[in-house]
Structure formats: structure tokens, C-alpha cells
Amino acid sequence: ETQSYLYYQTKKQQMSATRISTAPMHGYSVRFSPYFPHRLAMATCQHYGIAGCGELVVCEQHPKQGWQIHRRLAWPDGLFDLAWSEQHEAHVVTSSGDGSAQLWDLGLDATGPLKVFKEHTKEVYSIDWSQTRGESLFLTGSWDTTCKLWDPNSTSSLRTFAGHTGIVYSAMFAPRTPGVFASASGDGTVRTWDLRAPTSTMTITGHDGEVLSLDWNKYNDGMLVTGGVDALVRGFDLRSPGAPLFALSGHRYAIRRVRCSPHVEHLVATVSYDFTCRTWVVSPSRCIPRFVFEDHTEFVTGLDFSVHAPDLLVDCAWDASAVVRKLPLV
């Protein structure tokens, strides 16, 4: 009965989805603008990120034409992730396969970045901008097993965080606690960090294999949601991290990205190498699958909720497309 219900909702929701072609580039990450409800950006790669160049693809929603590509900004290597500045409406940072990060100003006609930040010795797979007021900082996570903290006004990192023994696939600032972030790694652990502490403040195990993604609950800085190659979504209470709060099953292959809704406390979305996007309702009293979207024909890698519209969700995939869809509110 559950499978039948989910399949029905999948077909129904396709009616309210808009597809954006990024061909010939393959999507890796997508983020809505925190400033403009009609704008989003994607980090993309040529040849699935294995070889070739990358593009920062900026899209805008028009009243009549819908979502359209507005600009394409090229970089010589693949772009794996991006984050919008919390201080400047036109600034975006991206991370690249050549070990660098780039700061772009979309308000300029320039075709290249304002600055390039190069210290990592391998691919930079994750980038995130601090959301707490008073901090103008961004964070990178790399295949060289380290995270680095950056001030956009300097091309030298402020600090390097070492401790993982595998690739850092994701590093995300806590949304409400200054100076705190978490990282997910190929060593099978999630670590939390405080900028005031010399080493990581907590190490969490709970997945069987690599941990590919994490996100913070936007209403509770003590709760992390993670996704791994074991195809499970797990939630952890940082006050008691020994055992997960929940483990959600449904995806058939590795979970590439997880996102917690900025509008609905118990709503979580995930995308996977099984070509699907799923949403879940997660609370102390219930953990249930909500919707399954089967809009892609390749690995789904990017995911984001809009901070402006409670019902907007976007994903992007290796099939050279992104899908913006409206969700029924939980």
C-alpha cells in the first residue's frame, strides 16, 4: 500500500515540476538565492566530473517563460559545489576539481571570478558560507581529508582542520551557532568542530561505509541529518550521539545529498544515485516517507529548498538537467 501511494504521488507531482536543461554540462550542486526568489545557481561539470571543464550556471524565473538559464560562467576544471554569500547578493563561491575555490560577482560582466583560493592539494568537493550574523566566512572540504576556513577578503586560509582519514564530502556550518560546523567523510564518520577548539569536538559513527552528506536541522542546532553509501538517512542528537534518533530506508543506492527544510521543522529531502528525490517527515513521534520523485535518468547529486517559498524544492543530476518542483506543505 505504501509503494502504491508513493508511486501515485510521484506521477501527480510531475505536473507541477519545471525542467531546466544544463546540457552539455552535468549537474553536481544547486542552490536557490537567499536574496531573490526567482534566482538559483548550479555547479556543473563536463564528462560527469571525471575530466573537462566546469560551469557556474545561473538561472532566473520569468513571468511568462518560466525558469531559464541567465548566465554560464566557465572554469577550466569541474565545479562540484557552490554557496551564496550571506553578505553580498551577487556573490557566489564555488569549489573545483583542481583544488581551488572561486568567488564570483554576478553583478559584473566579467567572465572570470573575482578571486581564486588555492591551498587544497586535491579536489574541493564541498563549500559552505556561514549563515550566522557577524561572520563573513566560508568553509571548504576536500579529497585531501581536510577542511579549510576562509575570509573572502583574503586569499590565504584562516585555518586548516585535520582529523578525518578519508575524503571530506560535505562540510556545513551550524545555521544558528557561530563558529560551529560539521563534516562528513569517506572514513565513515561525522565530526563536529568549534573554531575556538584545537581539534574536533565530537566524532560520530553510525553509517556502514562512507558518509556523503549532512545538514543541520534549521530549528535545532543539536540535530544533524546524514546520508551515506549504505542508502540510509540517519538523524543524530548531538547531546546523545551514541545511537541515531532514526534511520530512514527507501533509497536503493547511496544518498548523495540531504537537506532540512528552512520552513517546516520535520521535513527532510534527499537525493540518491538511484535517480530519485525523496521527502520525509521526521519527528519524535513519526518517521515516514512523504513523496518520491522519479524525474531523472542519472545520478541525482544536488538539492535545495527555497528560503522564500515554503513549497519550492530543486534538484540537479548527471542527466544534464535540474527540476524545480512545488511540494504540498506538510
Side-chain angles (χ1 to χ4, degrees):
E1 292 180 0
T2 300
Q3 290 179 344
S4 175
Y5 169 76
L6 292 173
Y7 182 78
Y8 169 73
Q9 295 294 352
T10 299
K11 297 303 181 184
K12 181 179 178 181
Q13 289 309 307
Q14 287 180 353
M15 296 174 61
S16 58
T18 301
R19 186 178 300 275
I20 306 168
S21 173
T22 60
M25 312 301 286
H26 307 284
Y28 260 84
S29 182
V30 60
R31 292 285 188 95
F32 283 107
S33 166
Y35 299 96
F36 304 107
H38 61 276
R39 181 175 296 171
L40 61 82
M42 283 179 276
T44 68
C45 297
Q46 194 176 27
H47 305 307
Y48 304 98
I50 300 171
C53 63
E55 283 184 348
L56 173 61
V57 180
V58 183
C59 302
E60 294 192 349
Q61 185 183 33
H62 300 276
K64 294 183 179 180
Q65 293 88 359
W67 287 96
Q68 303 284 324
I69 291 179
H70 175 63
R71 295 184 71 180
R72 305 183 80 131
L73 299 168
W75 185 250
D77 212 310
L79 297 181
F80 293 136
D81 201 8
L82 80 150
W84 292 88
S85 165
E86 294 291 330
Q87 276 73 41
H88 195 297
E89 63 185 26
H91 284 184
V92 177
V93 284
T94 54
S95 63
S96 176
D98 60 8
S100 71
Q102 305 81 31
L103 173 64
W104 308 80
D105 189 338
L106 303 182
L108 301 178
D109 291 331
T111 57
L114 282 179
K115 289 183 181 179
V116 177
F117 310 84
K118 180 77 166 69
E119 287 186 13
H120 285 292
T121 57
K122 293 183 179 180
E123 292 92 330
V124 185
Y125 220 56
S126 173
I127 197 162
D128 191 44
W129 201 291
S130 174
Q131 297 180 36
T132 54
R133 295 187 182 277
E135 289 183 344
S136 180
L137 303 170
F138 67 91
L139 181 70
T140 53
S142 171
W143 283 31
D144 66 12
T145 76
T146 70
C147 300
K148 288 181 180 286
L149 182 72
W150 306 83
D151 182 330
N153 297 310
S154 172
T155 54
S156 298
S157 66
L158 301 177
R159 182 176 167 186
T160 299
F161 300 86
H164 283 297
T165 57
I167 293 169
V168 178
Y169 287 109
S170 180
M172 302 281 290
F173 282 107
R176 299 192 302 171
T177 305
V180 173
F181 71 92
S183 54
S185 172
D187 63 15
T189 70
V190 171
R191 289 177 179 257
T192 60
W193 310 78
D194 190 315
L195 303 188
R196 298 163 294 185
T199 60
S200 66
T201 54
M202 186 181 301
T203 301
I204 302 170
T205 57
H207 284 276
D208 183 12
E210 294 183 306
V211 189
L212 302 184
S213 183
L214 64 84
D215 197 16
W216 296 82
N217 184 290
K218 304 304 186 291
Y219 294 83
N220 178 4
D221 262 4
M223 182 177 174
L224 278 175
V225 181
T226 61
V229 297
D230 56 8
L232 293 177
V233 184
R234 294 186 182 271
F236 294 93
D237 185 341
L238 299 185
R239 296 165 297 185
S240 180
L245 293 173
F246 56 81
L248 306 175
S249 61
H251 282 294
R252 292 177 289 114
Y253 299 117
I255 294 168
R256 182 60 190 89
R257 208 172 296 267
V258 300
R259 285 284 184 263
C260 298
S261 169
H263 302 280
V264 181
E265 180 178 1
H266 304 304
L267 181 62
V268 174
T270 56
V271 293
S272 167
Y273 291 163
D274 66 9
F275 304 175
T276 70
C277 172
R278 296 171 182 251
T279 60
W280 317 76
V281 175
V282 178
S283 71
S285 60
R286 58 177 182 161
C287 295
I288 59 173
R290 182 71 170 155
F291 299 107
V292 180
F293 303 99
E294 298 174 316
D295 297 304
H296 292 286
T297 58
E298 260 292 357
F299 293 169
V300 192
T301 52
L303 180 67
D304 199 29
F305 284 99
S306 169
V307 297
H308 299 280
D311 59 348
L312 272 191
L313 182 72
V314 63
D315 62 35
C316 68
W318 280 15
D319 61 7
S321 74
V323 175
V324 183
R325 60 177 60 85
K326 284 196 171 185
L327 298 173
L329 296 179
V330 176

